[in-house]
Amino acid sequence: MSTPISTLLFAEAQTLLPGGVNSPVRAFNSVGGTPRFISHGQGAYFWDEDGNRYLDYVGSWGPLIHGHAPAFVHDAVRAQLDKGTSYGAPTRLEVEMARAVIEAVPSIEMVRMVNSGTEAVMGALRVARGFTGRRKIIKFAGCYHGHADGLLVQAGSGALTLGIPDSAGVTPAQTQDTISANYNDIEGTRALIRELGHELACVAVEPLPANMGLVKPKAGFLEMLREETEQTGALLLFDEVMTGFRLAKGGFQEVVGITPDLTTLGKIIGGGFPVGAYGGRRDIMSCVAPAGPVYQAGTLSGNPIAMTAGLVTINALNADSYARLEALGARLEKGFERILSDLRIEAQFQRWGSMWTLFFNPNPVESFADAKQSDTKKFGQFFHAMLERGVYLPPAQFEAAFLSLAHTEDEVDMTLQAARESLETLT
Ligand SMILES: *Cc1c(COP(=O)(O)O)cnc(C)c1O
C-alpha cells in the first residue's frame, strides 16, 4: 500500500510550519496519529487528499452552522468578489452587519468588527479597562479567550492562582492583572470579586464553556457574576465567540436571560471567513477610537467578503434552525445514552443544542478540574475508531463537537452506529 497523501503532506508540513499546522489542535497531538489534509467539503461532509470522506463534527471549530460550501453563501461571496475584496474605507455592508448583530443581541448597542475572536477579546478587555479605569480581570480555568498574552493564564485545580503564565514567551508582567477562578465555583468567585472590589475591571467568561469540552453553568453561577460585578462596578464580558448565533440568535445570554455589559463574537458571524466582533453598552463602546480614547484599529476589519458571508449566514438563521439543531442534538444524545448504558461505559454525554462532548469520565464535568479527570487515552482510541468509520470528531477530549444544519437524522443514526462499534472496541 502506498503512503497516504495526508502523511506525505504532513511530513513536508512539519519541515515548513511549526508542528506542521497553523493552529495547534489540528495536529492531532492529543489523539496521536497523522492529521488528515482536507481537499474539499460539501454539506455535512469533507474529503481528505486521499479521497476519504468524513462526516464532519468540527465545522471549522464552529463557524459552519450551515455545513460546508452552502450555495447561498458562496453565491453572495462571488457577487461581492466581483466588486473588490477590500477598500479601507467604510461600506454599507458594515452598517448592515452592525444592525444585524445589534438586532439579534439586545445587550449590544454598538459593535466593532475585527478579524478574529482573539482580537475581539483583546479589544473588549482594553475598553473594559479604559472605561472603568481599573486593571484587574478575572477569567476562569479552562475557558479560552484566544491567545492574547494576558489571557494565557489558568488556575491550578483547586486553589485560585494569581497570574502564572500558561505559555512560554508570556511574562509575569503581562499576566499579573489576570486572576484565574474556577468555573461554577459560586462562593469562591463571589468572594474573589468582593476582595478585588474597585480594582476589578472585568469578569470574562464563556457563559457556556466549550473549550474544556462542553460544560454547563450551575444554576445561579452566571446570575452571581451579574450581581457581583454590578455591585463592584466591574464589567461582565460574555465571550460568545463560540456560542453566538449557535444556540439562539441572541447567543447564550438570550437562552439564560442575563445581560452582560460586553460581548465578543466570532466564528459564525464570519460565515467561514476570518472575523471577530466586540460590542455592548453604548456608553462603554463610545470609549473606542475614534469616538473615544481607547485605541483599536484594523486594516482588514469589516472586510467586505467576510461581512457578506457573515451576513447571509446569520440572516439565514431563524427559530426553525435552532429547533432543528436541538432535535438533531437530542436524537444524538438519546442514542449515545442508550449505547453507554448498553455497553456499561462510564462516560458523560454533555450537550447544549448542537454542541456536545463525550467525556470519558465517570462523573459529570462541571469545571476544568473535573474535565482533567477524563481518560484522554480512551478518548484518543474512540476518536481514531470513529475516524476509521468516516466520522471526524474534534481531535481532543477538551473540545466541543458541532452539528450543522446540513446534518440529517440519517447522519446522526450513522454516527450512532459508528459510535456503538467504536465504543465496543474499547471495552
Ligand atoms: C475560538 C474562540 C476564541 C478565539 O477566536 P479566534 O478566532 O480563534 O481567535 C475566543 N473565545 C472563544 C470562546 C472561542 O471559542
Side-chain angles (χ1 to χ4, degrees):
M1 237 171 65
S2 59
T3 310
I5 296 169
S6 282
T7 306
L8 297 173
L9 280 172
F10 190 49
E12 186 180 6
Q14 284 175 291
T15 70
L16 303 171
L17 301 158
V21 292
N22 280 310
S23 194
V25 74
R26 297 178 196 169
F28 279 24
N29 281 350
S30 67
V31 291
T34 304
R36 304 302 189 261
F37 280 63
I38 304 307
S39 65
H40 63 289
Q42 185 62 59
Y45 294 90
F46 62 27
W47 285 258
D48 68 16
E49 290 280 349
D50 295 285
N52 300 306
R53 185 182 81 156
Y54 302 95
L55 176 56
D56 178 24
Y57 279 95
V58 176
S60 189
W61 299 94
L64 303 184
I65 194 162
H66 298 293
H68 290 273
F72 67 97
V73 175
H74 286 222
D75 289 346
V77 166
R78 246 178 248 116
Q80 175 56 41
L81 208 47
D82 288 341
K83 301 183 201 167
T85 59
S86 185
Y87 316 115
T91 61
R92 172 191 299 271
L93 290 164
E94 293 162 87
V95 179
E96 289 176 8
M97 174 60 95
R99 203 193 303 124
V101 167
I102 288 164
E103 273 172 18
V105 189
S107 72
I108 300 182
E109 295 173 339
M110 288 185 119
V111 66
R112 168 60 58 86
M113 302 304 303
V114 293
N115 302 290
S116 69
T118 296
E119 232 190 289
V121 179
M122 278 172 56
L125 290 178
R126 188 176 301 147
V127 71
R129 286 172 164 143
F131 178 79
T132 59
R134 301 171 175 189
R135 282 166 50 172
K136 306 242 180 256
I137 60 160
I138 291 177
K139 77 170 285 291
F140 296 89
C143 283
Y144 180 67
H145 302 291
H147 65 84
D149 289 317
L151 289 160
L152 292 175
V153 182
Q154 152 196 83
S157 59
L160 303 173
T161 308
L162 197 79
I164 297 174
D166 235 14
S167 162
V170 176
T171 66
Q174 286 163 325
T175 58
Q176 68 182 2
D177 292 322
T178 308
I179 294 112
S180 192
N182 291 318
Y183 188 84
N184 272 335
D185 174 7
I186 296 179
E187 289 319 315
T189 308
R190 187 198 304 281
L192 184 64
I193 294 172
R194 289 185 181 177
E195 186 190 314
L196 290 168
H198 63 269
E199 286 185 281
L200 184 63
C202 186
V203 174
V205 66
E206 287 183 75
L208 179 72
N211 285 293
M212 50 176 138
L214 188 82
V215 172
K216 298 180 192 183
K218 276 193 207 163
F221 177 69
L222 295 172
E223 290 80 357
M224 175 276 297
L225 294 182
R226 180 64 286 181
E227 278 162 30
E228 294 295 335
T229 48
E230 216 157 272
Q231 286 297 316
T232 63
L235 302 184
L236 180 61
L237 164 62
F238 274 9
D239 183 352
E240 299 226 42
V241 170
M242 185 97 81
T243 49
F245 292 90
R246 167 58 62 182
L247 307 162
K249 277 201 122 169
F252 195 64
Q253 56 193 267
E254 177 187 322
V255 175
V256 291
I258 295 174
T259 305
D261 304 297
L262 288 166
T263 299
T264 47
L265 297 168
K267 297 191 170 120
I268 288 176
I269 61 160
F273 287 84
V275 159
Y278 63 101
R281 269 165 43 195
R282 183 178 303 279
D283 57 334
I284 301 170
M285 289 304 291
S286 297
C287 292
V288 178
V294 175
Y295 191 71
Q296 189 271 305
T299 302
L300 290 174
S301 293
N303 175 265
I305 302 291
M307 293 303 97
T308 299
L311 263 172
V312 295
T313 294
I314 63 176
N315 285 342
L317 295 168
N318 55 36
D320 289 348
S321 321
Y322 298 109
R324 164 141 190 83
L325 289 169
E326 169 59 29
L328 289 170
R331 187 182 184 95
L332 193 67
E333 178 173 350
K334 199 161 154 241
F336 261 101
E337 296 298 356
R338 173 96 201 229
I339 295 166
L340 295 175
S341 123
D342 286 352
L343 302 179
R344 294 203 178 82
I345 292 174
E346 287 196 322
Q348 311 296 322
F349 187 88
Q350 300 194 181
R351 176 185 75 88
W352 199 300
S354 54
M355 304 166 68
W356 59 276
T357 300
L358 180 65
F359 283 105
F360 286 87
N361 195 312
N363 303 306
V365 174
E366 296 183 339
S367 68
F368 190 44
D370 295 344
K372 282 193 295 193
Q373 300 303 312
S374 305
D375 187 339
T376 54
K377 200 169 147 253
K378 252 203 180 126
F379 177 84
Q381 291 168 359
F382 174 64
F383 169 83
H384 280 289
M386 292 294 274
L387 196 64
E388 273 170 31
R389 288 164 179 79
V391 180
Y392 192 99
L393 299 175
Q397 169 75 93
F398 306 121
E399 301 286 353
F402 300 95
L403 284 151
S404 79
L405 289 162
H407 289 68
T408 67
E409 279 76 5
D410 283 350
E411 270 118 17
V412 167
D413 293 346
M414 176 208 141
T415 305
L416 291 168
Q417 182 54 35
R420 183 177 287 275
E421 292 171 20
S422 298
L423 290 167
E424 269 168 356
T425 68
L426 307 187
T427 52

